[in-house]
Amino acid sequence: MKRLLIALAGMLLTSCAGAQVKQPTAVVEKFAATITPAGVKKQLEIIAGREMEGRETATRGQERAAAYIISQFKAAGLQPGGNGGWEQYYPLYTDSLLGSTITAGDKVFRFGEDFYADVKSSRNVDTTVQEVVFAGYGLVTDTRNDYAGLDVKGKVVIIREGVPTGVPRDKGYLTTKLKTASALGVQSLLIVSAMADKYRMLDQHQIRKTGIYTLKDTTRNINVYFIMPAIAAAIYGGVQSDSLTEVMSKGNELYASVRNKLSLSFRKKEINMQPSNVLGYLEGTDKKDEVVFITAHYDHLGTIKDQIYYGADDDGSGTSAVIELAAAFGRAKKAGNSPRRSIVFMTVSGEEKGLLGSAYYTSHPVYPLEKTVADLNIDMIGRIDPAHEKDTNYVYIIGDNKLSSELRPINEKANAMHARLKLDYKYNDPNDPQGFYYRSDHYMFAQHNIPIIFYFNGTHADYHKPTDTVEKINFPLLARRARLVFFTAWEIANREGRLVVDRHER
């Protein structure tokens, strides 16, 4: 009997060392209670403070916010979760036009006034030619070939916009024209457009810059210029310039060569940027190879016309919640209550630019996606929307039942036992006209069949305005919503089986 007792004791010790014993409710509530209104307020006053300058992706403000989040993850006892560091960097680009002209003889035509070219897809060009080939509408189909008999390789080609009478005008006809010209080796393509002079009515500053984008276009090797008919007339020596379209329709023979030398100049500045996602890692015990993600985006809109867009709710509230959730789980681990599964706390940038940071992460995962159990995403949980002004104790739940039949019951049980919020599923409707399910970072995880929940308070009058500020946040409600995420994450991280993926409503 004594040997049997010793053997059982040894087995018990081994089991406790290798696995997390399910904690009593009081223990879970003890650590959840450390997520307080005062705590999230302290975080948010910094995250959405003036020094962060609106946290626009790839700016000084975003870098400052990242550095602060890292400091808080360190204080919580997390380990670096990136590829050898706290940050996962990813490439972004932006271009701005320095200058562009088209010169025909002694006539100089200017970008934005007489012609337009897409800054992002255009290359730097400085060329002079004596020949411009006219290729009709620039179409090659089963029934016509406007390039038949023409030598256009390495040359400047001029074509008419649109399609001739009798030819179907599908939505992709312009793209087809560009692909055809590129495949034939055209150097630059001039498209005569009666609407080209309308570009002068646009914001000249805006049309000269690209904004931020993720991938350089390596498929197009030609510049495309939309030009006024007057430019075409000048290229051909002003022949019947008042009725150029009629003249051009008569055939290519009129335009075998130009009467005036043509010069094309296009110069732009390209800037390469390296924004980051911030990842903090909390190692689990016996199921540590499986990972639960808790996410929020820490970027916002930055400073526009000297006005800071603070983004206190969007998504300073979610970022502050992630920081405090990390601290709560860190306290639990320090007290000997490590989760069985590992948890990654990730704040991403680039959300406001089109889910760029989360898209990059799921395309370049640090932790295997097949080992990623769930993503609990927090985007705007600090305010009350107009629909709940009389019943403020709520949170919208989105996406919880789309991939796993087990996730909603876990979240609902956690809420019933602890948070006691009204769970509003309005925006979980597949026919939601606002499409919120597709508009935050969880969606990038869902694309890889990873179960998700999106916690959300809905929009309000200050959404995406400089008036989304700290003093309008309901901190008791923010903390209560964050605690719901804690209870749900705790259960997912500690349950015996990982969440099943038995649905495919993405």
Side-chain angles (χ1 to χ4, degrees):
M1 177 65 72
K2 183 176 181 181
R3 288 181 179 179
L4 177 61
L5 290 173
I6 292 173
L8 289 172
M11 291 174 61
L12 179 60
L13 288 172
T14 301
S15 175
C16 289
Q20 173 71 32
V21 177
K22 188 172 180 64
Q23 300 298 329
T25 300
V27 173
V28 183
E29 289 185 337
K30 171 186 174 182
F31 295 109
T34 65
I35 302 172
T36 65
V40 289
K41 181 179 182 181
K42 177 183 176 182
Q43 300 295 348
L44 188 56
E45 286 177 338
I46 296 172
I47 291 294
R50 178 174 292 275
E51 186 181 84
M52 300 302 178
E53 299 173 344
R55 310 184 306 280
E56 184 178 10
T57 297
T59 65
R60 179 177 65 177
Q62 179 248 299
E63 292 174 356
R64 287 175 174 173
Y68 177 73
I69 294 167
I70 291 169
S71 74
Q72 298 306 293
F73 282 176
K74 288 180 179 178
L78 305 187
Q79 298 299 312
N83 290 316
W86 293 97
E87 295 177 87
Q88 180 193 47
Y89 295 95
Y90 59 96
L92 290 183
Y93 309 95
T94 185
D95 304 339
S96 59
L97 183 66
L98 299 176
S100 180
T101 57
I102 296 177
T103 304
D106 60 353
K107 295 182 179 179
V108 180
F109 300 93
R110 303 191 181 283
F111 178 95
E113 296 180 13
D114 310 305
F115 69 93
Y116 173 77
D118 179 61
V119 175
K120 176 184 173 182
S121 57
S122 297
R123 300 171 294 116
N124 285 325
V125 167
D126 190 3
T127 187
T128 299
V129 298
Q130 294 290 346
E131 179 184 10
V132 177
V133 181
F134 174 58
Y137 284 91
L139 292 173
V140 176
T141 68
D142 294 339
T143 58
R144 66 181 288 148
N145 184 353
D146 290 348
Y147 286 95
L150 299 178
D151 178 15
V152 297
K153 187 173 183 179
K155 296 180 180 179
V156 176
V157 171
I158 188 168
I159 64 174
R160 298 177 61 183
E161 70 177 340
V163 296
T165 303
V167 175
R169 180 171 176 164
D170 60 62
K171 292 182 179 180
Y173 81 92
L174 178 56
T175 299
T176 301
K177 287 186 178 187
L178 303 188
K179 288 182 177 179
T180 299
S182 180
L184 292 170
V186 171
Q187 182 205 99
S188 296
L189 186 66
L190 308 180
I191 302 178
V192 182
S193 170
M195 301 296 290
D197 62 339
K198 302 299 182 184
Y199 287 109
R200 68 184 59 187
M201 301 170 62
L202 301 178
D203 185 322
Q204 294 298 305
H205 178 70
Q206 289 296 324
I207 66 173
R208 283 169 163 76
K209 62 181 184 179
T210 64
I212 291 174
Y213 60 95
T214 55
L215 295 174
K216 290 190 174 182
D217 185 357
T218 58
T219 60
R220 187 191 293 184
N221 55 7
I222 62 174
N223 283 11
V224 179
Y225 304 85
F226 294 87
I227 65 173
M228 295 170 53
I231 297 180
I235 292 171
Y236 292 110
V239 176
Q240 299 190 33
S241 59
D242 291 336
S243 56
L244 182 66
T245 300
E246 179 182 350
V247 173
M248 293 178 70
S249 67
K250 293 180 180 179
N252 299 355
E253 69 277 2
L254 294 176
Y255 298 100
S257 63
V258 297
R259 289 189 173 89
N260 283 322
K261 180 172 63 177
L262 175 69
S263 295
L264 301 173
S265 174
F266 193 95
R267 295 179 297 110
K268 70 177 182 179
K269 180 180 180 181
E270 300 178 345
I271 300 175
N272 298 341
M273 299 170 291
Q274 291 287 316
S276 71
N277 301 321
V278 180
L279 293 86
Y281 176 72
L282 188 81
E283 187 176 55
T285 56
D286 62 312
K287 296 180 180 292
K288 65 182 179 181
D289 290 341
E290 296 180 6
V291 183
V292 178
F293 268 72
I294 300 177
T295 59
H297 73 90
Y298 71 101
D299 67 302
H300 194 54
L301 304 180
T303 301
I304 304 173
K305 295 181 179 179
D306 297 326
Q307 278 195 306
I308 297 175
Y309 284 64
Y310 293 94
D313 191 27
D314 185 17
D315 185 28
S317 61
T319 302
S320 300
V322 169
I323 292 172
E324 288 298 289
L325 281 159
F329 273 101
R331 294 184 190 103
K333 182 178 178 68
K334 187 176 181 180
N337 298 284
S338 294
R340 299 180 71 182
R341 293 176 177 84
S342 299
I343 303 177
V344 174
F345 301 86
M346 181 170 74
T347 58
V348 301
S349 59
E351 193 270 355
E352 300 288 6
K353 306 293 184 184
L355 312 184
L356 302 184
S358 53
Y360 186 84
Y361 176 82
T362 52
S363 297
H364 304 81
V366 177
Y367 305 92
L369 296 180
E370 62 271 17
K371 293 290 188 178
T372 302
V373 174
D375 173 47
L376 304 181
N377 183 50
I378 313 169
D379 191 350
M380 299 174 59
I381 60 166
R383 294 282 296 269
I384 299 163
D385 72 351
H388 293 87
E389 289 178 350
K390 295 182 179 179
D391 182 16
T392 61
N393 191 47
Y394 78 100
V395 67
Y396 288 110
I397 301 296
I398 303 173
D400 64 328
N401 65 342
K402 295 187 182 298
L403 292 169
S404 174
S405 61
E406 294 180 340
L407 188 51
R408 175 173 288 186
I410 289 172
N411 192 60
E412 288 186 337
K413 182 179 179 181
N415 182 64
M417 291 182 64
H418 305 288
R420 299 179 181 86
L421 294 159
K422 175 187 176 182
L423 305 183
D424 193 327
Y425 295 104
K426 172 183 177 181
Y427 294 124
N428 197 51
D429 187 338
N431 298 314
D432 168 28
Q434 299 191 67
F436 283 121
Y437 174 64
Y438 309 99
R439 290 170 54 180
S440 193
D441 298 294
H442 61 276
Y443 185 63
M444 293 297 106
F445 287 85
Q447 291 301 287
H448 295 272
N449 285 320
I450 297 169
I452 65 91
I453 298 179
F454 172 19
Y455 298 88
F456 180 51
N457 57 217
T459 58
H460 42 73
D462 299 306
Y463 175 68
H464 278 197
K465 293 182 180 178
T467 50
D468 180 10
T469 50
V470 172
E471 66 272 11
K472 296 180 181 178
I473 297 295
N474 185 323
F475 289 103
L477 186 55
L478 196 168
R480 200 152 58 248
R481 289 164 172 167
R483 286 195 290 269
L484 171 59
V485 180
F486 179 89
F487 290 122
T488 300
W490 185 284
E491 175 60 25
I492 295 171
N494 287 293
R495 70 200 304 261
E496 179 60 32
R498 65 177 290 172
L499 294 172
V500 298
V501 180
D502 54 355
R503 296 176 177 176
H504 300 280
E505 184 186 340
R506 290 185 295 172

